[in-house]
Amino acid sequence: MTGRPGIDTPDHRGRTGLDRAGRGLDRNPDVRIRDVELTSQGWHVLRRTTFDYRRRDGRWETQQRETYDRGDGAVVLPYDTGRGRVLLTRQFRYPAYVNGHPDGMLVEAAAGLLDAEDPHTAIRRESEEELGVALGPLTRVLDAYMSPGSVTERLHFFAAPYTPSDRTGAGGGVEEEGEDIEVLELPFAEALAMTRDGRITDGKTVLLLQWAALDGPFADGRPTTGPSVTERWRRGPAPRPPSSGCAEATR
């Protein structure tokens, strides 16, 4: 019998056993997993799971769900309360473009997949790659499933201070991975207004900006205004002071 890539022989990423995810789940007594089928494996994995589900009236029924597994991720909102600024990105997102966005160029908070890293390490790496900045102490905001009807990803939300002296490079992402990311430094008041008028439509970014206004660094009346013109993060990195070795903050 010929081996099946991703199941009993390695696929193009060296993975096997992709059809086993979820088979042993028993945390919910009202759900019994019956079968897991691997329907597609590209860079990420699509599965079809058959399970028995006990409804609230006690009846059991068999259901099927397709799940898209791309791993978990992390996202961060860098902020400078002294100047009333935040750092965001703009990049092309084909799924948004094919689903009605005018040009697919979305303004977002910097984010990325964890791969084999912990959330803190991953988001610091992403910030240096995408934004060209070394973050200050990370504050954990929350964890959330952004599309739980079909996508398994759990997203870890963070915020962190930065200053112009924290520049480490130009940012822009990893060209070899197809990234072409524009770095935007915006007055916080303008970024928040963009969530209201439709210029920012990315869910994770809307959530972080609302948090910053309600419970975060701009919730206590600190400066949120600045020039109305969007500033691009173009200047070269400034010399960095020695690391203070501050521990990560949590909420």
Side-chain angles (χ1 to χ4, degrees):
M1 179 179 176
T2 304
R4 297 162 296 176
I7 297 179
D8 44 29
T9 62
D11 68 0
H12 64 290
R13 294 184 64 190
R15 301 171 298 188
T16 59
L18 295 178
D19 62 327
R20 298 173 196 156
R23 287 183 179 272
L25 287 176
D26 59 3
R27 296 190 299 270
N28 187 337
D30 297 325
V31 178
R32 298 171 180 169
I33 307 299
R34 299 181 62 178
D35 190 33
V36 180
E37 305 168 70
L38 183 64
T39 61
S40 175
Q41 80 270 22
W43 193 251
H44 306 305
V45 180
L46 184 65
R47 300 180 179 91
R48 181 185 300 114
T49 300
T50 304
F51 57 92
D52 295 330
Y53 175 74
R54 180 160 54 191
R55 300 176 64 88
R56 288 178 298 163
D57 62 10
R59 291 181 294 119
W60 285 90
E61 64 182 22
T62 300
Q63 299 185 3
Q64 282 190 334
R65 293 291 185 273
E66 289 187 349
T67 55
Y68 186 56
D69 183 355
R70 60 192 304 271
D72 292 341
V75 58
V76 68
L77 179 68
Y79 60 86
D80 182 342
T81 53
R83 298 184 302 132
R85 305 300 172 89
V86 292
L87 277 182
L88 298 174
T89 69
R90 179 159 46 213
Q91 60 183 306
F92 178 68
R93 296 297 200 183
Y94 178 76
Y97 185 46
V98 77
N99 195 30
H101 191 277
D103 58 11
M105 301 300 295
L106 264 62
V107 176
E108 306 178 34
L113 296 178
L114 304 186
D115 295 324
E117 296 174 322
D118 64 85
H120 291 76
T121 301
I123 201 57
R124 287 192 175 281
R125 170 180 52 78
E126 291 288 346
S127 296
E128 295 218 22
E129 291 176 356
E130 295 190 4
L131 300 172
V133 66
L135 299 174
L138 290 169
T139 295
R140 178 183 172 274
V141 177
L142 53 83
D143 296 345
Y145 297 95
M146 299 300 289
S147 187
S150 58
V151 181
T152 63
E153 180 183 20
R154 178 172 56 184
L155 196 56
H156 302 271
F157 287 74
F158 295 98
Y162 80 96
T163 68
S165 65
D166 294 322
R167 287 296 309 279
T168 61
V174 181
E175 185 175 351
E176 292 76 12
E177 297 178 2
E179 294 181 330
D180 181 25
I181 297 171
E182 180 184 6
V183 184
L184 304 177
E185 185 177 53
L186 296 170
F188 175 73
E190 180 180 352
L192 193 61
M194 292 168 72
T195 69
R196 301 187 180 111
D197 63 23
R199 286 178 290 164
I200 292 179
T201 56
D202 173 65
K204 63 184 181 293
T205 308
V206 172
L207 191 156
L208 276 172
L209 290 169
Q210 292 286 347
W211 167 83
L214 295 172
D215 297 314
F218 297 104
D220 59 0
R222 280 182 255 191
T224 62
T225 59
S228 60
V229 178
T230 296
E231 293 187 5
R232 299 189 180 188
W233 193 246
R234 287 179 169 174
R235 295 182 297 277
R240 282 187 49 74
S243 172
S244 63
C246 294
E248 308 293 9
T250 58
R251 281 183 60 86

